[in-house]
């Protein structure tokens, strides 16, 4: 069996990754999924979280916000609403998004959509985390 699979990560804006990988971890709705070559076919919805894939033994990180993953034995395709590599992340923007979300969560305003603010906070936290994982 091949020791790598093809990994494609696409957003509405662009192709973010088109590469081979030995392993990928993806944030499924029910927790992280580890995929190796030859994995049984499946389709899963993605949560907000981190994608980590290994190529030539090196880890690569991406922040991802929702989407779907299709897993086939030789190919993993991820269609995400947003996906960024560490060097693409605007840290200041993520910090500002985080502060806005925190303010909303603290507010007593009855029109506040708390769930939306929680997801914005989660997206900002994941971006800040992944931004700190730039390749040396
Ligand atoms: P913001 O409030 O700053 O727009 P958001 O979490 O609402 O943040 P999303 O709706 O998740 O943003 O993403 C919208 C688009 O902006 C996507 O293309 C995403 O890749 C990009 N994006 C969002 N935040 C950042 C960031 N901090 N750095 C780089 N790109 C970002």
């Amino acid at each position: 069996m091949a020791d790598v699979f093809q990994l494609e990560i696409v957003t509405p804006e662009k192709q973010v990754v088109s590469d081979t990988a030995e392993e990928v971890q993806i944030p499924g709705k029910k927790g992280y999924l580890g995929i190796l070559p030859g994995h049984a076919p499946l389709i899963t919805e993605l949560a907000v979280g981190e994608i980590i894939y290994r190529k030539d033994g090196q880890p690569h990180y991406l922040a991802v916000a929702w989407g779907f993953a299709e897993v086939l034995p030789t190919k993993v395709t991820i269609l995400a609403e947003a996906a960024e590599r560490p060097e693409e992340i605007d840290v200041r923007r993520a910090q500002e998004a985080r502060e806005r979300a925190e303010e909303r969560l603290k507010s007593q305003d009855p029109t506040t959509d708390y769930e939306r603010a929680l997801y914005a906070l989660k997206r900002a936290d994941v971006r800040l985390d992944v931004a700190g994982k730039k390749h040396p």
Side-chain angles (χ1 to χ4, degrees), residues 54-117:
R54 223 161 20 85
K55 183 188 164 87
D56 300 331
Q58 295 293 318
H60 298 266
Y61 302 92
L62 292 109
V64 66
W66 293 301
F68 291 91
E70 180 197 49
V71 177
L72 297 171
T74 60
K75 188 173 184 185
V76 174
T77 306
I78 293 172
L79 306 175
E81 210 162 281
E84 304 103 29
R85 290 183 182 270
E87 57 275 15
E88 293 168 330
I89 293 172
D90 179 339
V91 170
R92 178 133 182 224
R93 177 173 167 182
Q95 279 164 346
E96 286 170 0
R98 188 176 204 291
E99 281 161 24
R100 278 196 309 276
E102 278 197 317
E103 284 306 312
R104 289 200 175 104
L105 289 169
K106 273 192 262 165
S107 83
Q108 303 292 320
D109 182 348
T111 63
T112 298
D113 183 340
Y114 285 94
E115 201 182 4
R116 186 172 162 190

